[in-house]
Every structure is written in C-alpha cells, then in structure tokens.
Amino acid sequence: MPETIWWKSGTVYQVYPRSFQDTDGDGVGDLPGITARLDHLAWLGVDAVWISPFYRSPMADFGYDVADYCAVDPLFGTLDDFDALIAEAHRRKLKVILDFVPNHTSIEHPWFVESRASRDSEKRDWYIWRDPAPDGGPPNNWLSNFGGPAWTRDEASGQYYYHAFLSRQPDLNWRNPDVRAAMHDVLRFWLERGVDGFRVDVIWHLIKDEGFRDNPENPDFAPHRPGIERFSQVYSCDRPEVIEVIGGMRAVLREYGERVLIGEIYLPIERLVAYYGPDLSAADLPFNFQLLETPWRADAVAGLVAEYEAALPEGGWPNWVLGNHDRPRIAARVGEAQARVAAMLLLTLRGTPTLYYGDEIGIGDVPIPADRVQDPWERNEPGHGRDPVRTPMQWDDGPNAGFSRAEPWLPLTEDHERRNVDALRDDSRSILTLYRRLLSLRRDHPALSVGGWRGLPLDPALAADIFAYERFEGDEIVRILLNFGRTGWSVPLPDGQAWNVLLSTRPGQAGETVRDALTLGSDEGVVLRADPSR
Ligand code: GLC
C-alpha cells in the first residue's frame, strides 16, 4: 500500500514573507499578501506552504531574531491576519508550516532582558553565560556563523553570553528544562491555531558541548569561505544529546496528530541521518541540503542520491531541497537550461521536495547594489550575504512586478517585465509550466510521489552526463533520464519494453512512444512510463 501521509506524498513551498506580496504599500511583503496569493500555490499544485518567520522581531536578522514567539510583527500584520491565512489555506487544502526558531531569541526578548539583568536572575540560566577566560577574553574559541567571535561580554555582570549568529541573537540554554517547557508551550500555541507543522531553525545547534571545549582547527579551511569554517564545529553543535531534545518537540507535535517536524541541518549525510532519531523518534524530515552543495554533474548527483538512499534508516522518509533563503538560487548556480533539469530531478526523486518561491519562474542571480544591502551577514563578511536570493516574487508586468505599490525592499530581476507569473503561466514553453506539469505528474502517479527508487547503471561514456533512475509502485514503472551535459545522447532502452514519454523539459516532446533507444537532447530531461500494453 502506498504511504498516504500528507508530508510524505506532498510537496512543500517556501515563502519568504518579506518578498511574496505586499498589501500595505511599505515595500515589504505581509501575511495578507500571502493569503492573497494562495491561489497561485493551489494552481501550481503544491501541498504545503512553509512561511519563514513573521513573529515580533527587531529584524536584526529579518525575523530570525524573535522578541515574542506568540505575536505577529506589525510589519507583517496581526494574529487575525494569520488566522485568516490559515483558514484560507485550509479551504484550498493547503497545509501551513511555520518556521520555529528555538536556538536563539532576539536580545530584546523579555527572557533575555531578564536573564541579563543580574547574575541572580531567575532566567540567568535560560541563556548561555560564562566567565571570561583567564586572560579576560572569550570563554573559548567558538565563532559566530555571521563572522567574528560567538561570545559577547556583558559589561554589567562581567560575563560573556554565547550567540551562534549575531550578538543580537543570544542562544537559549536547551539543557534547562524550563526553557524546554516554555518552548513546548510556544509550539502548542500555534498548533492550537491549526498549523500543520514546523520547520525548525538550526536544529543541530540546540545543544552545545557541556564542557565548552574549543573547536579543533579545520585543516581544509579555504580563505574565501566564511570565517566560521576556520574551525570544525564539533563542540558548538551536533551534540548527541540534541536528538532527545528534538524527540521532546516531536512528542508535542504528535499530541496533535499528523503534524510534521522538519529540521534545518547542514551536516554530511552520515550525521544528517542520525536526526531521524532512534526508532524514528526525532525529526520527521531532517532537511537534506546535499543538492545545494554537490557539484552539478550527473555522476556526482547520481552518487549522492545513491549514498543518501543507502544511508536512510529503516522507514525514514527522504526529502530534497534545491534552494532556500540562505543559499544561491538554483538558476543562478546551474543556469537557465539546467534549472529545468533540476526541477525535474527535484520533483521525481523519492522523498518530499521543498520548492523555494520564485524558482518556479526561474529567478536567477539578482545583483544587489552596495547601497541596497540589507543582510547583516553581508555587512560582516562581504560576499556571503543572502540578499540576492531574497528578492521579491514577480507577479505581472505592472509597477514593481505586482509585488508592491512602493519601491520593494530589494530589487527585482532586470527582466521582470517578462519573467513573471502572468507572462509565464499560459506559455507552454515556460519553466513555470514545466513546474506545474511536474507537480501534476507527481500527484497523478503514485510511483513518483510514494514509490520506490532505484538507480540505473549506464555505460561510462553516458554516465558522465546522464543520470538515470526508476520509480515504481505496484505495476507502474516510471523511468527518468536527465542530461546534465551540453551534448545530445542516444540512451539505450535495452529491455524490449515500450515507453511512453510522459514529460520532457523540452516543450512538445511528450506523448510519443519509444523503444530500444531514446534521443536525449542537451540539457534535456524526460519522464517515461513503461507502457503496460507493450
Ligand atoms: C537559519 C536561517 C537563517 C538565519 C539563521 C539564524 O540558518 O535559515 O536565515 O539567519 O538560521 O537564525
């Protein structure tokens, strides 16, 4: 029997709320804007929307610095707006996933204000306070992910507090049971309002080494990489005790039935899969970001998929990601033609795919002029900023691409007059049409949504360019052939089987039946289905 649980068979679409749709004319998107655009998501054919943080925040890290977990920031609207959003989403059978940011709060969160007030504060131990090193400097060598030390000295008490990110984002102490209980109540607050799950921010960071040992030097550090990589993060994160903490959150979600816990985790495969937990008791979907980092070559991607499939624990459900608000856009990384192959890959692999808003219209690199830089990381470590991947969604050819009445907070693509939903939705050749067809194919064929996966061996000459695999469920076999290269190939189909072409990344190729061999153009991907009659 195919699995039917929604977060296994479905697809997730990430919305960065500052950039989806502005309704109040301040150049920044808001919750009513998301509600107004839910029809796009339903039309596209995704199943769930994950919304990056919209909680009350001073916006030092654009909402990933939360000052009140149970309030909507006025920039984005009100709790009533949120309730309307969730009702409208559910009316369209769309699930709603929130972004939960438990590792750190804003420096303005009342918990931190109280914690900082004195060494004897009841909430002192809610955060991570340490005495200076003997020389008066930071307690150890841990660095911030956004550049510079991860410790900031508090003049009043003489102690340092730890922050894995900005000094305005102090880390909570998840070893403290009161912190856990308070955060579980935050989860319940939103679960009671009907949310269908959480994407949990930097979940592998929650527990730090009990002894606060120095991180070892990273022998592979390259100077063009972010400074944090100077050391291997073995003591500041990915500690074994974190799995049980995640299990605690998951148990809260299970009080409410089929809610999903997705964990943000940047770790190599062998560590990543530990986050399913013993007996799958921790993250339902430990985010698999491997496609963001693997070289864009058929053999490399084929190797990665096989390795990940083999590493999954029994019953652990896979997932795949091509982009998010922190990493380069797929079209910027691999180019326009390969972005179509990438879409086919994402939506035909086994496991829950997460789409990033704007990828369906092929938004690529958007250069950000120096005077428009927003991301604090870019200010600390130039070249690493994330503004280029957070630019507004482009809806039509009107002013500001239909995103806002006002100048948007970040620039649009230069070609926004043609690269927008309105212009691409009725164009059978567009990437938007391709995404929509892939999503509908996935929905119509259980082999694609919930079926098994197996890689297909290829002649070495082909394997450098082509990645071939099958998905299967019941009697149905679907074969996917993806050409990562710039030359066409004739790919043998040796099993005497006739195959129907269900979809090609090249418009107009579907509908044929092929046997013996398939001619695959450069940058082309196809989905074939074994013809049951022949
Ligand atoms: C996660 C978020 C990122 C944020 C960081 C700190 O990595 O995805 O946007 O800056 O956590 O909260």
Side-chain angles (χ1 to χ4, degrees):
M1 272 298 284
E3 285 276 6
T4 50
I5 200 166
W6 68 269
W7 52 263
K8 293 188 178 176
S9 58
T11 48
V12 179
Y13 181 102
Q14 180 189 358
V15 164
Y16 194 66
R18 294 181 70 86
S19 293
F20 206 53
Q21 177 67 57
D22 175 25
T23 58
D24 61 1
D26 59 1
V28 173
D30 44 46
L31 295 184
I34 299 174
T35 307
R37 295 296 188 183
L38 288 173
D39 283 338
H40 170 69
L41 304 188
W43 170 84
L44 188 62
V46 297
D47 299 275
V49 53
W50 147 34
I51 310 172
S52 286
F54 50 75
Y55 316 107
R56 189 182 293 278
S57 161
M59 304 291 165
D61 187 21
F62 296 113
Y64 283 96
D65 49 321
V66 179
D68 183 345
Y69 287 102
C70 299
V72 173
D73 195 276
L75 184 70
F76 295 119
T78 63
L79 261 183
D80 285 345
D81 292 331
F82 176 76
D83 291 339
L85 189 164
I86 203 160
E88 287 300 313
H90 286 166
R91 209 161 64 74
R92 292 167 178 78
K93 307 242 178 313
L94 291 166
K95 306 283 186 185
V96 177
I97 298 171
L98 297 199
D99 207 314
F100 182 49
V101 191
N103 179 67
H104 42 267
T105 68
S106 161
I107 202 164
E108 295 181 23
H109 196 292
W111 297 342
F112 187 73
V113 173
E114 194 182 332
S115 180
R116 184 178 214 169
S118 101
R119 285 189 185 222
D120 310 321
S121 154
E122 268 186 29
K123 293 215 164 50
R124 188 66 169 180
D125 185 52
W126 280 43
Y127 292 82
I128 298 174
W129 293 97
R130 309 287 291 173
D131 287 331
D135 67 356
N140 66 18
N141 71 357
W142 296 359
L143 295 177
S144 157
N145 283 271
F146 289 152
W151 296 94
T152 292
R153 193 177 137 96
D154 177 54
E155 293 308 324
S157 67
Q159 285 192 309
Y160 282 83
Y161 66 88
Y162 175 69
H163 49 87
F165 295 89
L166 300 173
S167 60
R168 297 179 57 84
Q169 293 170 293
D171 279 43
L172 282 161
N173 175 15
W174 272 81
R175 292 184 187 270
N176 183 323
D178 295 339
V179 168
R180 295 187 195 189
M183 292 304 262
H184 289 177
D185 284 347
V186 171
L187 292 173
R188 290 192 187 95
F189 175 86
W190 293 106
L191 288 163
E192 292 289 338
R193 297 193 105 84
V195 312
D196 301 288
F198 296 90
R199 170 269 189 190
V200 185
D201 194 58
V202 295
I203 206 166
W204 84 110
H205 274 260
L206 292 180
I207 296 285
K208 324 346 166 167
D209 181 46
E210 204 155 22
F212 290 90
R213 284 170 280 185
D214 278 346
N215 281 323
E217 297 240 7
N218 170 11
D220 302 323
F221 176 64
H224 68 276
R225 300 287 303 167
I228 177 104
E229 293 181 14
R230 200 167 282 283
F231 300 99
S232 303
Q233 307 295 302
V234 295
Y235 294 121
S236 46
C237 46
D238 191 27
R239 302 307 302 162
E241 303 97 305
V242 76
I243 302 297
E244 188 239 313
V245 170
I246 300 169
M249 285 182 200
R250 227 281 294 273
V252 174
L253 267 65
R254 287 296 188 266
E255 292 166 16
Y256 294 80
E258 280 188 6
R259 314 295 165 107
V260 68
L261 192 157
I262 307 173
E264 186 202 19
I265 304 161
Y266 285 95
L267 289 174
I269 290 177
E270 73 274 11
R271 287 300 312 142
L272 174 66
V273 293
Y275 284 74
Y276 286 96
D279 302 321
L280 306 181
S281 57
D284 294 309
L285 300 174
F287 251 150
N288 166 14
F289 295 132
Q290 307 300 320
L291 284 176
L292 302 175
E293 280 157 22
T294 301
W296 199 253
R297 292 196 326 259
D299 49 357
V301 173
L304 154 70
V305 176
E307 187 191 345
Y308 175 67
E309 281 280 350
L312 288 166
E314 178 76 34
W317 186 249
N319 73 90
W320 296 96
V321 177
L322 276 182
N324 61 37
H325 63 294
D326 296 322
R327 295 293 163 130
R329 286 245 182 217
I330 184 69
R333 187 156 74 91
V334 305
E336 228 177 313
Q338 280 295 314
R340 301 173 73 100
V341 174
M344 187 169 273
L345 173 74
L346 175 72
L347 293 171
T348 58
L349 284 173
R350 187 175 82 98
T352 307
T354 299
L355 281 65
Y356 184 49
Y357 86 95
D359 282 352
E360 77 272 36
I361 55 170
I363 292 182
D365 191 29
V366 189
I368 309 294
D371 62 343
R372 294 195 67 176
V373 166
Q374 304 277 346
D375 187 3
W377 191 4
E378 180 69 21
R379 299 214 174 89
N380 289 352
E381 292 191 299
H384 297 296
R386 301 159 293 177
D387 295 327
V389 309
R390 297 175 173 180
T391 63
M393 185 60 178
Q394 302 176 170
W395 298 103
D396 57 42
D397 63 1
N400 305 312
F403 165 70
S404 173
R405 302 195 289 279
E407 170 85 0
W409 74 293
L410 282 172
L412 303 163
T413 68
E414 263 174 22
D415 59 356
H416 64 86
E417 283 178 6
R418 35 184 199 87
R419 188 177 298 287
N420 60 65
V421 172
D422 236 24
L424 302 183
R425 63 180 291 155
D426 296 322
D427 173 356
S428 65
R429 311 179 64 87
S430 73
I431 187 163
L432 180 57
T433 299
L434 176 66
Y435 262 100
R436 187 157 179 257
R437 289 195 179 138
L438 281 164
L439 284 159
S440 110
L441 209 58
R442 202 180 158 89
R443 220 165 248 239
D444 293 346
H445 296 272
L448 287 174
S449 52
V450 294
W453 178 92
R454 60 179 163 244
L456 295 178
L458 286 176
D459 178 279
L462 288 175
D465 270 357
I466 293 171
F467 179 22
Y469 51 94
E470 283 181 349
R471 303 291 313 280
F472 47 92
E473 176 63 39
D475 293 337
E476 188 178 40
I477 300 177
V478 174
R479 181 175 287 191
I480 295 98
L481 303 171
L482 303 173
N483 188 352
F484 284 61
R486 291 287 141 93
T487 42
W489 291 95
S490 172
V491 185
L493 302 167
D495 30 24
Q497 169 73 51
W499 296 87
N500 302 325
V501 180
L502 294 181
L503 186 61
S504 163
T505 57
R506 294 198 168 186
Q509 307 286 83
E512 295 168 46
T513 298
V514 290
R515 199 192 276 279
D516 304 327
L518 175 100
T519 307
L520 199 58
S522 60
D523 300 309
E524 183 179 17
V526 293
V527 182
L528 310 171
R529 179 171 187 260
D531 188 327
S533 62
R534 287 181 286 174

